[in-house]
Each structure stands twice: as structure tokens, then as C-alpha cells.
Amino acid sequence: MRAVTRKEVFQMGLRARGAVDRIYVHWTAGHYDQPCREYHLSITGTGGVYASCEELTTLLSHTWHRNSGAVGMALCCCHDAVLYADRSFDLGRCPPTVLQVEECAILCFLLAEALGIPIDPRSIMTHAEAADLDGYGPALAGTPRFERWDLYRLMDHDGVWRSGGDVIRGKALWYRYHRRPDLPYLH
């Protein structure tokens, strides 16, 4: 694992253009300072970014049946998180930090630009969204088939809990349409 800058992530995205067309966003179910090799990119609790490989085209096992042509990005958080059968939840002792969510949105924006993909639910989704589509997600909470709910809900800027995918994509779109040349994430 090595620390990487936004510029390096953007360059990785440019090299993967045409071979990668999806981004899956996860949590590690660990602590803030524990990046995981199963993901191309890990974001620590303070917003630091680590890469587990040199190229985003490297095949890693981050999302069941969805690894080919996809980037796996994870927030290092949610140790001891629990989703109950009624879909209420406890994000544990290490819930996603504001810095992690913002960095994730910035990286989704930068990677979408570099990869030439839209910022929409077909191209960028949380593991909870993918798991629901594939029959093992939070829609099945409380059943034996339920397995994954990464980023099922995130608190939005207005203090309301919303779909984690909607929050991340909404923030990524904000960066796309409100970016300024003098902001450091473009350099």
C-alpha cells in the first residue's frame, strides 16, 4: 500500500480509460487507519488515500461478480457496524467521517472525468446498491441471504440520512459543476 495524491489517482484513471467503466464504493468494516488490499483505493479517516496497486485495471476481489472493468474504492471505517432487520442501523465505533465522504466524492468526480464515465447509478454505486441488485443486500436485511450493506445510508450536508450512493454521486456532481481552476483537486 502506498499513499497517493489526487493527481496520481487521476493519472491512474487516464491509463485505465476504455478498460474500466464502473466504480464500486465500499467500507472496510475496520478502523480508520486500516487500508485494505482488496480495494484499488482506500480512504483513511483523515481523508488520506492509499493505492493497493499501480493500475486500476488490476483485477481485485472487491464486489461479488462485479470486479472486471471496475474500480473498488473503500472508506476505512464502520468497525462493528450493524444493520437490523427493520433496516435501522448503527455505524459502530468508526462511522464514516466527513473527510472520507468528501474525499470519496472528489475521487469519484476525478475518476469519472479520467475514465470518461457518467456520474450516475449505472457507473458509480455503493456495495449496498450492487448487493441489492444482485440479491444479497440491505433489502434482504433479517434474512439468511443478506450479506452486504456498505454505505447503505450516509448523512447528507443538511443532516438528513439518505442513500449513500445518492449522497456520494450528488457531491461528485457538485464538484463537476462547481469546480474552479484554482482548486487543488484539479492540479
Side-chain angles (χ1 to χ4, degrees):
M1 303 290 289
R2 68 180 181 91
V4 291
T5 65
R6 292 173 182 163
K7 183 175 182 179
E8 288 174 295
V9 171
F10 185 77
Q11 294 296 324
M12 291 169 78
L14 288 175
R15 291 193 304 271
R17 191 177 188 126
V20 171
D21 62 1
R22 285 161 289 124
I23 301 167
Y24 293 104
V25 185
H26 306 257
W27 63 38
T28 62
H31 298 281
Y32 292 134
D33 59 351
Q34 292 179 313
C36 291
R37 294 194 179 281
E38 293 85 5
Y39 310 103
H40 295 90
L41 303 169
S42 294
I43 305 169
T44 66
T46 57
V49 181
Y50 288 83
S52 66
C53 50
E54 294 299 316
E55 302 299 331
L56 298 178
T57 53
T58 302
L59 186 62
L60 298 176
S61 59
H62 50 82
T63 314
W64 184 66
H65 286 277
R66 293 175 174 266
N67 298 315
S68 298
V71 171
M73 183 184 326
L75 281 62
C76 302
C77 63
C78 289
H79 178 73
D80 292 336
V82 178
L83 178 66
Y84 300 101
D86 66 358
R87 292 192 193 88
S88 63
F89 55 90
D90 176 351
L91 294 176
R93 292 178 283 171
C94 301
T97 68
V98 171
L99 291 172
Q100 285 177 306
V101 174
E102 287 302 317
E103 190 63 28
C104 179
I106 290 168
L107 293 179
C108 283
F109 151 65
L110 290 173
L111 285 172
E113 294 286 307
L115 296 168
I117 63 173
I119 298 173
D120 67 20
R122 293 176 314 241
S123 300
I124 300 172
M125 68 176 70
T126 65
H127 197 176
E129 292 170 318
D132 267 347
L133 289 174
D134 294 340
Y136 66 99
L140 296 171
T143 73
R145 295 207 49 200
F146 167 67
E147 289 187 34
R148 298 284 185 263
W149 63 290
D150 304 25
L151 303 170
Y152 168 61
R153 295 280 183 258
L154 285 173
M155 188 172 291
D156 209 347
H157 67 278
D158 56 3
V160 175
W161 289 98
R162 293 194 169 82
S163 156
D166 288 345
V167 171
I168 291 166
R169 288 185 297 270
K171 289 176 177 290
L173 285 168
W174 186 91
Y175 284 106
R176 173 172 278 168
Y177 295 113
H178 293 90
R179 63 184 186 204
R180 296 189 339 240
D182 60 325
L183 292 177
Y185 58 80
L186 295 175
H187 300 291

